[in-house]
Amino acid sequence: MTSPPLIGRDTVLPRIQDAWERLAAGGPVAVTVTGEAGIGKTRLLREAVAATRPSLLLYGTARADGAAPHDWFASAAAETERPEAIDERVWRVLRQERAEALLIPDGAMLRTAVAAVRRLAGAGPALLVADDLHWLDLESLTLWAELAAARDLPVMLLAASRDAEEARHPAAAARTLARLAAAPDATGIRLAPLDGAQTGELIRARTGSAADPARARAVHRRTGGNPFWINELIDARAGHDAPLPGHLAALVRSRLAGADQRAWALARAAALLGERVDLDVLLSVAGPEAFASLPELLAAGVLVHGEGARFPHALMREAFAATTLPEESERLHRKALAAALERGDDAAVTVHAGAVGEGELAVEAAMRTAARELDAWLHESAQRTAELGLKWAPDHPGLLDLAGRAAKQGGDFASARRHLDNLAAVGDRREQCLAHLQLADLNWHEGRAADQWRSQERAEALAEPGSLEHARCATGRTILLVRSESDAAVIDACDAAEPLIARHGLAGQRRAVAISRATALYRLGDKETSVAVFREVWREAAAAGDVRKLARTVNNLLAVHLGDLPEAEAWRLYAEGVSAVGELGMAVWGGKIQRSGVDTALRFGDLERAWELAWSRCRDEPDPHERAVLTAKAGLLAAERDDREVAESCLREGLALIPGMDQGWVVTYQHWLAVAIAARWGDRADVAAALDGYEASVPLELHRLRRYRVVEVARMAVDRGVDAAAVQRFLIASLGEVPVPDSADEARLHMAMRLSTGDFEGVVRLLGVESGALTGTVLPAYRAETLRYAAEARLRLGDPEGAAEHATAALKLLERWPGHRRDRVAGLLGRVRDSSPLQSLTRRETEVLQAAARGLPNRRIAAELGISQRTVEVHMSRILTKTRAQTRTEAATKWLAGPFARQME
């Protein structure tokens, strides 16, 4: 398997490269990389060597299973010839070769080793690397400490180490690390674990397929984001919730190899208590004799400090828990249960009561714990707790509801559906009603619009008229109508819902209905009232801590309102919204908000900002249909940036996400991307096949809801040279007609079609129909396409000045849009300028025309240029012929005052 890309170290490797560049100013330069085992230190060192490409490299590694004097030097200089000035006998000792016993003064060996490094480095620059410095022998550590303190040594010292307390020689390692940190030019890098999104990237890189965010988060929780353990789980093909394979468990437990039974007993007791361990509880459960081994567990990295003590990752806890015999497990769990009951720790009661078979006690504690965790937005913890209780009561309605809601909010949609379906089957009428309401929302997030309405109608059929459930159903209907863009019906539904909500005092539902009303009002044209309602709900939700309604308020306001604001004001509102929702709200509901940011960047022609917003979110978006949309947007932007690999990767991922979805606007996004890729890099047959896929992806009525997409896809096909008849057939199949050019999008399509058939005058005439694109809300990239078509037509009609004006305006629109569109317009402008009559003027004719443009008569021109007046007249006659001008004034004003003036300067 090839090495995956270096993930999560985007800012780290450049720091090492910067240190290498600074070495030119003198040395030594010292860079120390620290972090836990498996965090990626060795990989980073290798990437640094590849990035710096030193002319001299001394790369030494330590031995983990025993050390001998001078290990680093022997490893680093194994293939190096002895410098002439270094004593051969000492050299052989440093290289750990056979040599006669030497009687040398104290410190002489160290001085010789430093001198040998100096000789080898020469004038530099040289790179000295120590991998696993924590395992080095005392002599090697002393050598590195001495090198760090050396002056005028043209080397970069690059060392990777665990923390000093884990070293073979802790005190010496600490001194060496301190000496490296005190070097005149020192850089310290602490490698952090990967986060959830980076864990997903690593899974994708190792397996070739994307992990859904729920799985990535589960793997991250289990491994603590440690790249080594992530890779080991992947290579062992162990599911994120499968038992730890035996060889991995043994590898984890090897940290306590050689420890006595007390240390093992303490590790097992801690493992049964959970990933975080209260030290007082651990003492009472394990007993003072075993508890005395705590420093040993901390030194071995089995436990780390943090709110008492904790395992560095779940795998560590799993591995030691698996070694506990049933009798010992029963005893420890009962002790822990007693302690948990005494201190009122419901979370611990859930675990330990269940472990000893007291299911009723475990279920009651799980209900209380999961409810508190869900209220605190600890979705994953709430889901795990509820599911733990469900092991003892699989059909418990309260736990099913908590587990379903927690899983949905946390992005684990498969688990959410399983729990909610079960609740809909086993709950009473009220519980079934609420389950179907949750399923309606879940279906929307999974891209199932028809199923969403079916679930809503089932919930409404179960709700007693006038009941609290009826009020909740009425609220849900307003939301579904907003999603269906049935704005007039939204207002009626809000009017019907509000009295029910007021009867039951449901503040959250009142805010939800207000958001629905404000959204519909904006789309119906009452923007002032809409924004006022949004702002009021925003303030109220923030004050109440209602993050869900706050996020929906911000999302809906941004979605409808950003498009009406100038750029600076739009980005201020966007930043205000993101800040209000906060990190927690953005993690759960931020996909739609970030998509509004993408659309805003597109509206202002800022390709790189749009790309960054789409790409940074699409990889870990938990909502399936939102992830499909963001992935397609990222792919379309990658195609704009000429990044074929990323565009095709996004297409593969998007197509894998949409099976079973019937939301036409989500499904067609993927096929739009397929057409864009074919039009950019494929041939005409590829484009034609992609067109067929787009047409077949959804029924005609859904295509009509996103008419502009069908038109844009057809335009791309025309641009790539697909036969006009084939494009017309596609339009008829998708829309039922060939659109007439009475809007900006449709005029742009017809301009492309007429340009392809040679109707250049028709292209120019359509520019007037499309003029709304020059001042309206059409994206700058599309407006630039309109101007490109017009420029091409003007050029073909022999009007290079008009062509240049259009092409120049198009380039202005594409100032922040690097990629093939801008390159194409720039190439066209180059052709336009090359076609200028001025290109055919001689240098002397150019000078005459420049003088005429300043208003000089022939006599003055002759005097200024030192030629006869008759010669000036001959030049002027030729100028009029070449420029096709009737008079010298026309030639001067038409050609020199226009877009070609720069060519004359």
Side-chain angles (χ1 to χ4, degrees):
M1 181 178 291
T2 58
S3 295
L6 192 63
I7 292 170
R9 311 300 183 214
D10 299 347
T11 62
V12 175
L13 187 58
R15 293 179 64 190
I16 299 177
Q17 292 174 284
D18 288 345
W20 177 255
E21 295 296 326
R22 293 197 304 272
L23 181 57
V29 171
V31 179
T32 308
V33 180
T34 57
E36 65 183 80
I39 203 66
K41 301 183 295 296
T42 297
R43 172 71 190 280
L44 182 61
L45 295 190
R46 292 172 181 169
E47 294 288 342
V49 170
T52 55
R53 300 169 65 183
S55 55
L56 175 66
L57 171 66
L58 295 178
Y59 193 120
T61 58
R63 289 188 265 185
D65 57 348
H70 314 299
D71 265 349
W72 178 82
F73 194 98
S75 173
E79 305 297 328
T80 305
E81 295 293 329
R82 175 180 61 86
E84 290 185 4
I86 301 302
D87 185 280
E88 182 177 358
R89 295 170 301 167
V90 176
W91 177 260
R92 290 170 65 84
V93 172
L94 292 173
R95 289 265 296 259
Q96 297 179 338
E97 298 173 354
R98 287 190 159 205
E100 62 273 20
L102 293 177
L103 296 175
I104 58 176
D106 291 342
M109 186 66 74
L110 174 62
R111 289 193 295 274
T112 303
V114 173
V117 172
R118 282 189 177 277
R119 294 284 183 175
L120 291 171
L127 177 61
L128 276 58
V129 180
D131 196 2
D132 285 339
L133 180 141
H134 53 280
W135 294 133
L136 283 178
D137 56 280
L138 288 170
E139 290 80 0
S140 296
L141 289 170
T142 304
L143 171 60
W144 267 71
E146 196 73 11
L147 293 172
R151 293 292 182 267
D152 302 322
L153 186 62
V155 302
M156 182 165 85
L157 300 167
L158 176 59
S161 178
R162 295 187 204 170
D163 292 333
E165 55 264 32
E166 293 187 52
R168 174 173 281 114
H169 302 288
R175 287 193 296 270
T176 302
L177 290 171
R179 185 70 69 87
L180 287 166
D185 188 337
T187 299
I189 297 171
R190 180 75 181 182
L191 291 187
L194 304 184
D195 61 24
Q198 292 162 347
T199 299
E201 285 187 60
L202 183 53
I203 294 171
R204 181 205 306 260
R206 293 284 288 189
T207 65
S209 59
D212 67 83
R215 180 195 173 204
R217 287 196 298 273
V219 171
H220 177 260
R221 187 191 67 80
R222 198 174 186 191
T223 61
N226 184 294
F228 174 82
W229 293 113
I230 296 170
N231 286 326
E232 287 296 317
L233 279 182
I234 294 170
D235 292 346
R237 291 179 169 80
H240 63 274
D241 55 356
L244 191 62
H247 72 285
L248 292 187
L251 187 59
V252 173
R253 293 192 292 264
S254 65
R255 289 193 171 217
L256 278 190
D260 61 25
Q261 288 303 310
R262 292 180 305 168
W264 281 86
L266 184 64
R268 291 194 296 272
L272 293 181
L273 290 175
E275 290 172 32
R276 292 187 180 275
V277 184
D278 182 289
L279 294 182
D280 290 336
V281 175
L282 181 59
L283 173 61
S284 67
V285 169
E289 185 177 353
F291 189 78
S293 298
L294 179 61
E296 188 173 356
L297 267 61
L298 292 170
V302 172
L303 292 175
V304 295
H305 290 290
E307 298 179 17
R310 63 177 177 83
F311 288 92
H313 45 73
L315 293 181
M316 188 77 74
R317 188 198 65 78
E318 292 174 36
F320 283 102
T323 65
T324 309
L325 295 174
E327 297 81 3
E328 182 184 16
S329 177
E330 171 85 12
R331 177 176 57 79
L332 291 172
H333 277 301
R334 287 205 174 275
K335 280 189 173 183
L337 176 59
L341 288 169
E342 183 178 348
R343 65 181 187 275
D345 186 347
D346 280 333
V349 169
T350 302
V351 173
H352 301 303
V356 297
E358 296 191 24
E360 185 176 344
L361 182 60
V363 168
E364 292 173 356
M367 275 289 294
R368 294 190 295 269
T369 303
R372 284 196 298 270
E373 290 170 337
L374 190 56
D375 286 343
W377 304 104
L378 301 173
H379 308 122
E380 292 182 46
S381 295
Q383 181 183 346
R384 288 199 303 272
T385 301
E387 289 175 343
L388 189 59
L390 286 169
K391 290 182 178 180
W392 300 101
D395 294 334
H396 191 286
L399 288 174
L400 287 171
D401 175 60
L402 286 167
R405 288 191 288 132
K408 180 164 69 75
Q409 292 182 17
D412 185 355
F413 290 89
S415 295
R417 180 169 295 282
R418 184 176 71 253
H419 296 311
L420 292 171
D421 280 342
N422 195 11
L423 178 59
V426 304
D428 61 23
R429 180 169 179 154
R430 172 184 171 278
E431 291 159 347
Q432 289 178 15
C433 173
L434 297 179
H436 283 298
L437 276 180
Q438 290 289 332
L439 285 167
D441 190 53
L442 182 64
N443 285 327
W444 165 261
H445 291 299
E446 291 185 332
R448 304 172 188 271
D451 288 345
Q452 167 195 233
W453 278 107
R454 279 190 283 271
S455 294
Q456 173 71 24
E457 289 161 1
R458 286 171 185 160
E460 290 173 347
L462 289 163
E464 294 288 345
S467 65
L468 182 146
E469 292 73 37
H470 187 189
R472 292 182 183 276
C473 288
T475 303
R477 178 165 282 273
T478 71
I479 295 171
L480 267 60
L481 288 168
V482 168
R483 292 169 176 170
S484 302
E485 302 174 33
S486 304
D487 297 319
V490 171
I491 302 300
D492 293 338
C494 290
D495 290 341
E498 285 170 345
L500 280 167
I501 291 168
R503 178 188 305 175
H504 295 284
L506 301 175
Q509 277 63 36
R510 177 174 53 78
R511 287 190 283 270
V513 169
I515 297 166
S516 296
R517 184 185 293 278
T519 306
L521 286 174
Y522 201 100
R523 296 196 298 220
L524 290 170
D526 190 355
K527 298 181 178 180
E528 184 176 350
T529 301
S530 170
V531 172
V533 173
F534 274 129
R535 285 292 188 178
E536 178 59 31
V537 177
W538 182 325
R539 287 190 292 271
E540 186 180 325
D546 188 348
V547 182
R548 186 181 182 87
K549 304 304 185 301
L550 177 59
R552 184 171 175 239
T553 302
V554 169
N555 171 73
N556 287 25
L557 174 59
L558 297 184
V560 298
H561 193 40
L562 287 178
D564 291 336
L565 300 176
E567 184 168 7
E569 191 175 339
W571 285 121
R572 278 197 298 272
L573 177 60
Y574 179 78
E576 182 187 0
V578 171
S579 175
V581 172
E583 184 176 346
L584 175 63
M586 286 297 291
V588 180
W589 297 294
K592 292 179 174 58
I593 294 172
Q594 202 143 328
R595 175 154 55 88
S596 291
V598 175
D599 292 340
T600 300
L602 293 176
R603 186 166 72 87
F604 296 117
D606 191 343
L607 176 58
E608 290 306 306
R609 189 166 191 170
W611 159 254
E612 175 56 33
L613 286 168
W615 181 244
S616 64
R617 182 75 191 196
C618 73
R619 293 167 291 172
D620 62 336
E621 170 58 42
D623 182 317
H625 95 282
E626 194 64 43
R627 185 174 186 179
V629 172
L630 284 166
T631 298
K633 279 183 173 286
L636 288 165
L637 294 170
E640 292 287 336
R641 301 167 81 243
D642 279 329
D643 192 336
R644 182 175 183 175
E645 181 179 353
V646 170
E648 291 179 340
S649 171
C650 288
L651 176 60
R652 289 191 297 272
E653 183 173 340
L655 291 175
L657 286 167
I658 61 173
M661 293 187 182
D662 60 0
Q663 289 183 22
W665 67 279
V666 176
V667 174
T668 54
Y669 248 126
Q670 319 309 319
H671 295 279
W672 183 5
L673 174 56
V675 175
I677 291 171
R680 183 75 191 99
W681 293 290
D683 55 25
R684 296 178 188 178
D686 294 327
V687 180
L691 278 185
D692 290 341
Y694 188 98
E695 184 272 319
S697 63
V698 297
L700 181 144
E701 61 269 17
L702 294 182
H703 279 310
R704 285 175 169 169
L705 292 176
R706 293 294 186 271
R707 183 184 182 93
Y708 74 93
R709 288 190 191 173
V710 177
V711 171
E712 173 61 14
V713 163
R715 185 200 65 79
M716 288 191 289
V718 172
D719 252 12
R720 192 62 184 85
V722 174
D723 179 73
V727 173
Q728 289 178 349
R729 285 194 297 272
F730 164 75
L731 290 166
I732 292 170
S734 300
L735 298 176
E737 62 179 354
V738 176
V740 296
D742 58 1
S743 74
D745 294 323
E746 291 154 358
R748 189 163 54 253
L749 166 62
H750 281 269
M751 290 175 79
M753 295 173 70
R754 295 188 184 189
L755 188 64
S756 71
T757 60
D759 182 6
F760 306 128
E761 292 181 352
V763 174
V764 174
R765 284 196 300 272
L766 282 171
L767 183 61
V769 177
E770 225 276 351
S771 60
L774 303 180
T775 57
T777 59
V778 177
L779 297 182
Y782 290 167
R783 291 155 58 190
E785 288 295 297
T786 296
L787 292 166
R788 179 176 67 81
Y789 293 141
E792 187 72 55
R794 295 278 191 192
L795 182 60
R796 302 291 186 89
L797 291 170
D799 181 6
E801 181 184 22
E805 288 177 355
H806 293 324
T808 301
L811 272 184
K812 179 69 174 175
L813 290 167
L814 297 171
E815 279 183 332
R816 292 183 289 171
W817 199 272
H820 68 91
R821 285 185 199 263
R822 193 166 73 186
D823 294 343
R824 194 170 182 180
V825 174
L828 172 59
L829 186 57
R831 286 194 291 118
V832 171
R833 288 174 173 166
D834 289 344
S835 71
S836 166
L838 291 179
Q839 296 294 326
S840 64
L841 298 184
T842 65
R843 183 178 62 82
R844 181 62 80 187
E845 287 167 352
T846 300
E847 292 172 344
V848 168
L849 184 56
Q850 286 177 318
R854 302 204 313 271
L856 300 182
N858 288 351
R859 177 177 54 78
R860 291 276 304 279
I861 294 173
E864 185 174 288
L865 298 178
I867 57 178
S868 70
Q869 186 171 330
R870 173 61 182 159
T871 302
V872 172
E873 292 170 354
V874 171
H875 284 315
M876 189 58 70
S877 176
R878 291 173 178 169
I879 289 170
L880 293 177
T881 299
K882 291 181 177 181
T883 61
R884 298 187 295 275
Q886 298 298 314
T887 65
R888 61 191 289 154
T889 301
E890 180 186 350
T893 56
K894 182 176 181 180
W895 299 108
L896 291 181
F900 295 102
R902 287 186 299 274
Q903 297 183 31
M904 304 294 292
E905 295 173 356

